[in-house]
Amino acid sequence: MRGRDAMAPLWLVLILVLAGYVLMGRIGTATAMPPTGTVVLWPANAVLLAGLLVSIPRHWPFLLAAGVLGEVIAGWDTLSLPWALAFGVVNGFEATLAAALLRRLTNGPVRIDGLAAFVRYVLIAPFAASALAATGGALIIKLRFPEIGYLHYWRVFWLGDALGLLLVGTTLLVWLAPRERPRMPPRLWLLEALVLAGGLIAGAVLSLRVAHDLDHLYLLFPLLVWAALRFRIEGATLAVLAVTGIAIRAMLDGLGPFTDLAGVDRVIAMQLLIAVVALSTFILAVSADERRQVTQNLRRSVRELQQARADLERVNADLDGIVTERTRALRSTLERNEMLLREVHHRVKNNLQLISSLVALQRRGVTEPAMRERMIRIQGQIGAIARTYDLLHRLGASEQVDFGPFVPALCEAIEESEGGRAQVTPDLQGSAEVTADSAIALSLALNELVTNALKHGGPEPEVRVSCRREGAELVLTVEDDGPGLGEGFDLMAQPGFGVRMVASLIGQVNGTIRTLPAQRGAAIEIRVPAMGGTAPPGPV
């Protein structure tokens, strides 16, 4: 069946409905039972219903007219024109009601693609629409043959139309709908189908034509179950149609287990048997198809998940390779950069030592005391920087370094430069890592502060240098035993170049410098951010 947006052409549907209605009407007329001519099965309405479902509603009047014309043609030798028109109107009402309800209650094309869809179709078409149509159809039969009760006519008419819609309608909806056909080996499938068909025909002939009781009827059910489970709903419809044809033909020939019943009762018994067999077989087939479809969807989902997992693992493997390669490249680059940085430190140290030696040579020829003192101070600053780079080179530091080992080395160098007249005592309290830039700034500041303290101290001055970490800061304190700083001393207001240089260097690494109250001598404290800490406020 096509969707509502892709309906079949009207002329094609009209031809198929008219031809199919006439053919099915003749088949239904052939099942008529004397004396009233009531039919066991009326499949023509199923053709009209299928035509309505594949057409848009504005084309329905043409199809209904084709159905009435088909009724007249199919009953030309058994019904007069008024009776044929009356039955045509009733049958048209039945098909129109079923089509309208099915289209209204179905989202999309009307298909039997699951148990819920099949139950909805049975309740609407074979049950409700046929029951309402039987109200008018039984009245027409009662007017023609008043000797039998209206209720008997109603039951026979309802069951005849219901069976037609159930058997032929289900078959048309199933076989005309686009479905994924089962994939089976052709030879095995054909062999199994032939075995099943032979067994089913033999069982139907034995139980419905040869036997005179219902004791052999059970032979049909295993074969019908086989058809429903192995050949889906398509095979189940063919199996039920075959059994129905054999059963009706046997009854018309006066054979089988229903020959002892009266005319109307015999028809009703046969109709009920066909209805039970068809419903049970179709429900089993539709349920099996639905379960098979769910299983296929689950297997497809599992395959898709497995494929997605394989793709993901492949992508992860590719990413791992890329990350490994990039990591190796980054490590190689980092090692090369560290090596180059160490080499730079080493060369800077050598160059600074060379500059210090040149300054020393130039100092020998200077006789002016002020100039000589200034050159000594410059030589000391250069030496401090050289020692800092030497330690950076020996420690293998690049971005950060523990400043603790720098303090005793710088203090020892200053003592040696003073000729042993001074005592510079380092005091280390734990470790504190700082950046390389901070280490250079602290080294210059330490050299300048200690040199100033020795300059203003006595003949044998003593200086104490402490280094510790407080929270997120490295604290460097320089204390001496000199005369002190005096009242109102402002460190940042001093005219000397050394103090300004120290303040500038410490400020460049986000540090602070200040004086501390001391009972004896002077005390100056420097704070710079330690690695992993936060910068303190601006300079004090």
Side-chain angles (χ1 to χ4, degrees):
M1 302 292 290
R2 299 184 180 181
R4 295 180 184 179
D5 297 331
M7 297 298 178
L10 176 60
W11 62 268
L12 179 60
V13 178
L14 283 174
I15 294 175
L16 294 177
V17 167
L18 180 59
Y21 198 100
V22 172
L23 177 61
M24 292 295 106
R26 296 300 295 176
I27 293 175
T29 303
T31 66
M33 295 293 296
T36 61
T38 54
V39 298
V40 179
L41 176 69
W42 185 253
N45 290 351
V47 176
L48 180 58
L49 174 60
L52 295 176
L53 291 177
V54 299
S55 303
I56 57 179
R58 70 170 179 267
H59 292 164
W60 286 6
F62 303 100
L63 297 175
L64 293 176
V68 173
L69 179 59
E71 184 79 28
V72 173
I73 297 174
W76 65 272
D77 56 346
T78 58
L79 292 174
S80 62
L81 181 60
W83 294 113
L85 292 176
F87 281 118
V89 171
V90 172
N91 292 333
F93 166 77
E94 178 184 22
T96 303
L97 177 62
L101 292 176
L102 286 172
R103 288 171 65 91
R104 184 174 183 84
L105 298 178
T106 303
N107 184 19
V110 179
R111 298 175 181 174
I112 298 179
D113 53 3
L115 183 59
F118 177 70
V119 171
R120 180 170 57 246
Y121 172 75
V122 170
L123 292 177
I124 291 176
F127 187 80
S130 295
L132 291 176
T135 304
L139 179 60
I140 296 174
I141 300 176
K142 179 66 176 176
L143 294 177
R144 293 184 64 199
F145 303 98
E147 60 271 14
I148 300 179
Y150 173 81
L151 183 59
H152 285 282
Y153 286 135
W154 183 89
R155 290 166 58 190
V156 172
F157 193 98
W158 173 49
L159 289 174
D161 280 19
L163 285 179
L165 293 175
L166 176 62
L167 298 178
V168 180
T170 301
T171 303
L172 290 175
L173 290 177
V174 166
W175 281 92
L176 294 179
R179 289 167 58 88
E180 181 182 356
R181 304 304 174 186
R183 297 179 179 179
M184 302 178 64
R187 293 182 180 179
L188 294 179
W189 183 87
L190 181 60
L191 178 61
E192 184 179 358
L194 291 176
V195 172
L196 175 61
L200 189 63
I201 293 174
V205 171
L206 177 62
S207 59
L208 296 172
R209 189 175 182 87
V210 176
H212 294 284
D213 51 40
L214 297 176
D215 294 341
H216 297 82
L217 193 61
Y218 66 89
L219 296 174
L220 295 175
F221 289 97
L223 299 171
L224 292 172
V225 170
W226 182 3
L229 295 180
R230 291 289 297 159
F231 294 90
R232 306 177 62 167
I233 184 64
E234 291 91 342
T237 56
L238 298 180
V240 172
L241 287 176
V243 172
T244 302
I246 293 173
I248 294 176
R249 185 70 260 177
M251 186 178 64
L252 294 176
D253 294 341
L255 302 174
F258 298 100
T259 56
D260 296 335
L261 298 177
V264 175
D265 294 332
R266 180 169 48 182
V267 173
I268 293 176
M270 174 64 72
Q271 290 173 328
L272 290 176
L273 171 65
I274 296 173
V276 171
V277 170
L279 281 175
S280 57
T281 304
F282 289 165
I283 289 176
L284 178 61
V286 170
S287 300
D289 284 355
E290 194 170 36
R291 181 179 179 276
R292 187 180 297 109
Q293 185 63 38
V294 171
T295 303
Q296 291 177 354
N297 292 338
L298 288 177
R299 289 177 179 174
R300 187 181 300 110
S301 298
V302 170
R303 288 195 298 268
E304 292 175 354
L305 288 175
Q306 291 175 345
Q307 182 62 38
R309 179 180 178 182
D311 295 341
L312 183 60
E313 290 177 351
R314 184 171 60 255
V315 171
N316 287 337
D318 295 340
L319 289 177
D320 288 342
I322 294 174
V323 170
T324 302
E325 184 64 27
R326 295 289 178 85
T327 302
R328 187 182 299 111
L330 288 175
R331 286 177 178 174
S332 177
T333 303
L334 180 60
E335 292 174 357
R336 185 170 60 254
N337 291 340
E338 290 179 349
M339 181 185 67
L340 292 175
L341 186 59
R342 287 194 297 269
E343 181 66 20
V344 167
H345 288 165
H346 179 66
R347 292 186 179 223
V348 169
K349 180 203 70 169
N350 292 339
N351 292 334
L352 289 173
Q353 288 177 346
L354 178 60
I355 294 173
S356 178
S357 299
L358 292 176
V359 172
L361 290 174
Q362 293 294 326
R363 190 185 64 186
R364 294 176 184 178
V366 177
T367 57
E368 184 180 351
M371 180 61 69
R372 185 178 181 85
E373 180 182 353
R374 180 169 298 179
M375 294 184 71
I376 292 174
R377 182 179 292 271
I378 292 174
Q379 186 177 3
Q381 293 169 352
I382 295 173
I385 298 176
R387 284 186 290 273
T388 301
Y389 274 101
D390 182 48
L391 283 173
L392 288 174
H393 174 67
R394 284 189 291 165
L395 295 175
S398 57
E399 296 295 331
Q400 63 188 56
V401 63
D402 182 6
F403 189 69
F406 288 73
V407 175
L410 293 171
C411 292
E412 182 180 355
I414 295 173
E415 282 185 344
E416 292 178 357
S417 66
E418 292 293 330
R421 77 175 185 89
Q423 181 178 358
V424 183
T425 305
D427 180 16
L428 301 181
Q429 302 177 17
S431 61
E433 291 190 347
V434 295
T435 64
D437 292 338
S438 297
I440 295 173
L442 288 170
S443 298
L444 288 172
L446 175 60
N447 181 80
E448 186 67 27
L449 293 177
V450 173
T451 302
N452 280 340
L454 296 177
K455 176 181 177 182
H456 298 92
E460 296 182 355
E462 294 184 4
V463 178
R464 178 174 173 269
V465 180
S466 66
C467 179
R468 65 186 184 279
R469 176 166 184 159
E470 289 185 2
E473 294 177 324
L474 181 145
V475 181
L476 183 67
T477 305
V478 178
E479 301 175 275
D480 60 48
D481 59 350
L485 300 177
E487 291 292 336
F489 180 83
D490 187 358
L491 182 65
M492 306 308 297
Q494 299 304 308
F497 173 75
V499 175
R500 294 199 306 273
M501 181 191 70
V502 170
S504 175
L505 290 173
I506 298 304
Q508 289 177 4
V509 293
N510 297 323
T512 60
I513 180 171
R514 65 172 181 169
T515 59
L516 298 177
Q519 296 179 354
R520 179 185 178 188
I524 298 178
E525 178 187 80
I526 297 174
R527 290 177 176 265
V528 297
M531 295 301 293
T534 57
V540 176

